């Protein structure tokens, strides 16, 4: 007798689901779009890199998710679901509770995390004690340990320092250590390693990657640097002028970019892929007030045509293979040939 068919396991929803998120900036001339139709999902233990040049809306995306967008900017539409719960419109007290426990943010400016009047040791030990059933001696040991793991030399001596006694780079490493100690389900990191030298950055990325894998933390890592995304991410979403223009598995997207903007970012990597010379994308990203209609990249795009004046729809990056990601370009074939 054959066993009765077992019910299909219901798949868990992704930890973070961002759907058609919109944010605006109020101005005297009326609201300007900061984010338009931003959508992505992020599962437990996954790393998504959000990449794009300065001004593309990466920080606005992070702050919108965290409920930290301040007037005159505001979330104007869409949905952010965290573990099945809607965060858009959530009461501030609830949001603060989530930020203290389940979601941690690493800011560009570490002083957004650090308290200037407390020693590093006091801040880290408090964080350990708040999240693990250990005594002070063990908490201090863990504090030294985590500082060592993010590349802080002489961790014991640093514990007695106040934030202003450390360099900017050391402060940032301490802020990263604190975010990791919170053991959140989700970490959102907004270019925290940009100011650090390449060796320290690589060490931190390795450590963050290991901890995320160990603890199945979901990580949204924002960077303007595709080589950081390459070192760290499972998936990449490329942002331009307030929209995501291409997203997919990191390896596939870097090997075969479809959107001309993604291709341009890769071609401008200093290492020069395919042995080619570094080729920067011509021109600059638009300001909020000067974003073109349709595909906002078209004034800088080598393959744009009249069809690009209309909003490009989403399509699969690779024909008939949704897991390969999606792209928002009416002209994707030509980008591959370019
Ligand atoms: N408070 C603000 N006032 C005016 N413009 C803003 C404000 N915040 C963001 N912007 C504009 O919104 C756009 C997106 O900014 P941001 O999210 O910081 O981009 P990124 O993090 O990708 O560099 C940029 O054009 C930026 O100038
Ligand atoms: Mg930013």
């Amino acid at each position: 007798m054959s066993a009765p068919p077992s019910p299909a396991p219901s798949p868990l929803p992704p930890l973070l689901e961002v759907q058609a998120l919109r944010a605006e900036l109020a101005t005297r001339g009326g609201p300007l779009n900061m984010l338009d139709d931003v959508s992505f999902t992020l599962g437990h233990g996954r790393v998504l890199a959000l990449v794009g040049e300065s001004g593309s809306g990466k920080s606005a995306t992070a702050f919108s998710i965290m409920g930290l967008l301040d007037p005159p900017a505001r979330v104007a539409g869409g949905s952010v679901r965290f573990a099945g719960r809607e965060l858009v419109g959530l009461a501030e007290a609830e949001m603060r509770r989530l930020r203290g426990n389940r979601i941690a943010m690493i800011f560009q400016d570490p002083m957004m995390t650090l308290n200037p009047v407390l020693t590093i040791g006091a801040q880290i030990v408090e964080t350990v004690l708040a999240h693990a059933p250990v005594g002070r001696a063990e908490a201090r040991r863990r504090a030294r340990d985590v500082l060592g793991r993010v590349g802080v030399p002489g961790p014991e001596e640093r514990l007695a320092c106040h934030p202003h006694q450390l360099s900017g780079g050391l402060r940032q490493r301490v802020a990263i250590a604190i975010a990791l100690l919170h053991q959140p389900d989700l970490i959102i990191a907004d270019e925290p390693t940009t100011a650090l030298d390449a060796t320290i950055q690589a060490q931190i990325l390795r450590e963050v990657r290991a901890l995320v894998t160990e603890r199945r933390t979901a990580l949204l890592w924002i960077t303007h640097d595709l080589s950081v995304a390459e070192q760290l991410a499972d998936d990449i979403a490329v942002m331009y002028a307030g929209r995501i223009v291409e997203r997919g598995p990191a390896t596939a997207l870097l090997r075969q970019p479809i959107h001309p903007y993604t291709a341009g970012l890769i071609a401008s990597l200093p290492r020069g892929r395919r042995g080619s010379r570094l080729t920067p994308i011509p021109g600059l990203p638009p300001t909020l007030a000067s974003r073109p209609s349709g595909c906002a990249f078209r004034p800088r795009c080598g393959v744009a045509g009249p069809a690009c004046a209309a909003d490009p729809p989403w399509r699969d990056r690779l024909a008939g293979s949704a897991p390969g990601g999606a792209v928002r370009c009416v002209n994707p074939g030509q980008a591959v040939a370019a």
Side-chain angles (χ1 to χ4, degrees), residues 58-59 108 190-191:
K58 304 180 302 294
S59 295
Q108 246 165 334
D190 189 4
E191 309 216 34

Side-chain angles (χ1 to χ4, degrees), residues 25 34 53-61 72 190 286-288 291:
L25 185 75
M34 293 176 76
E53 289 163 292
S54 174
S56 54
K58 304 180 302 294
S59 295
T61 302
D190 189 4
T287 64
L288 286 189
R291 282 182 185 171

Side-chain angles (χ1 to χ4, degrees), residues 49-52 58 189-191 194 221-226 228-229:
L50 186 59
V51 306
K58 304 180 302 294
D190 189 4
E191 309 216 34
T194 302
W221 193 277
I222 290 173
T223 176
H224 65 272
D225 184 346
L226 263 183
V228 168

Side-chain angles (χ1 to χ4, degrees), residues 161-234:
C161 293
H162 284 79
H164 68 88
Q165 294 171 291
L166 304 182
S167 69
L170 279 177
R171 282 202 287 264
Q172 188 56 281
R173 280 171 262 173
V174 172
I176 291 170
I178 288 176
L180 295 172
L181 283 169
H182 275 282
Q183 306 202 15
D185 300 315
L186 169 66
I187 297 178
I188 299 180
D190 189 4
E191 309 216 34
T193 58
T194 302
L196 305 181
D197 77 56
T199 317
I200 292 292
Q201 172 167 284
Q203 177 184 356
I204 289 178
L205 295 182
R206 265 198 311 279
E207 198 54 48
V208 165
R209 177 79 241 190
L211 282 161
V212 158
T213 307
E214 234 167 74
R215 296 179 183 162
R216 296 191 32 80
T217 313
L219 179 63
L220 176 63
W221 193 277
I222 290 173
T223 176
H224 65 272
D225 184 346
L226 263 183
S227 59
V228 168
E230 182 177 32
Q231 289 175 65
L232 193 63
D234 301 303

